[in-house]
Amino acid sequence: MADRAKGLHESALDYLPSRGGLPALRRAAAECRGCPLYADATQTVFGAGPADARAVLVGEQPGDQEDRQGKPFVGPAGGLLRKALAEAGIDESQVYFTNAVKHFKFAPLTDTRKRRIHKAPNLREITACRPWLAAELRRIDPELVVALGATAGKALFGSSFRVSEARGALLSLPDLSNWDIPAEQDAVQEASANEHRFLATVHPSAVLRARNRDEAYQGLLSDLRMAARLLG
């Protein structure tokens, strides 16, 4: 266990609790050293929402505000997302918010750069954090999973995933029992018999960066309205 003490593990697998629900996962994730991102981040930002949520929304990673507050989607992108959910007719109380990567990755501060600038996680970091996302989905067993952006899609489907190709199509998630999570490390003994439906859309931060923000917002809203119809 010497490597673990040094934080040299390359996956979250060794940190998953042997039993318990989302609260147990959240407590364990707070101590995760499964990839180097923990060293610079303020804290682990785990998912938030009801354990029986009908829908799980998966983003990329925490941003600056999320890292400071310890909650997902509380910054500008989160505000826009919650506005779009309400406008689409999705009850926020039935949604679980999480990210593919649980620590904030940012470019190093310098004498000329005083503000922490988001930096996209790489495939190794996405893969290392994937066990947390798998465990969340297995415990919640949602009717629908919505990927917000490419990183979330890659965490769920692999590196070949493209939002532009998958957007607008209703897909099925890969069998969660095949996500390389040892059965003894997960409180759920069997994968759900239910088919996990999946939709992809853009990340709300992409809407904020878009040249035509209104057009980009309407695209996000259209995708979320499709999610609302699927949830009935």
Side-chain angles (χ1 to χ4, degrees), residues 3-34:
D3 285 349
R4 178 170 181 170
K6 295 178 182 178
L8 297 179
H9 281 278
E10 297 182 355
S11 170
L13 278 174
D14 289 331
Y15 299 88
L16 289 177
S18 59
R19 60 179 61 86
L22 291 174
L25 284 179
R26 187 173 292 108
R27 288 192 298 269
E31 304 300 325
C32 185
R33 304 292 184 265

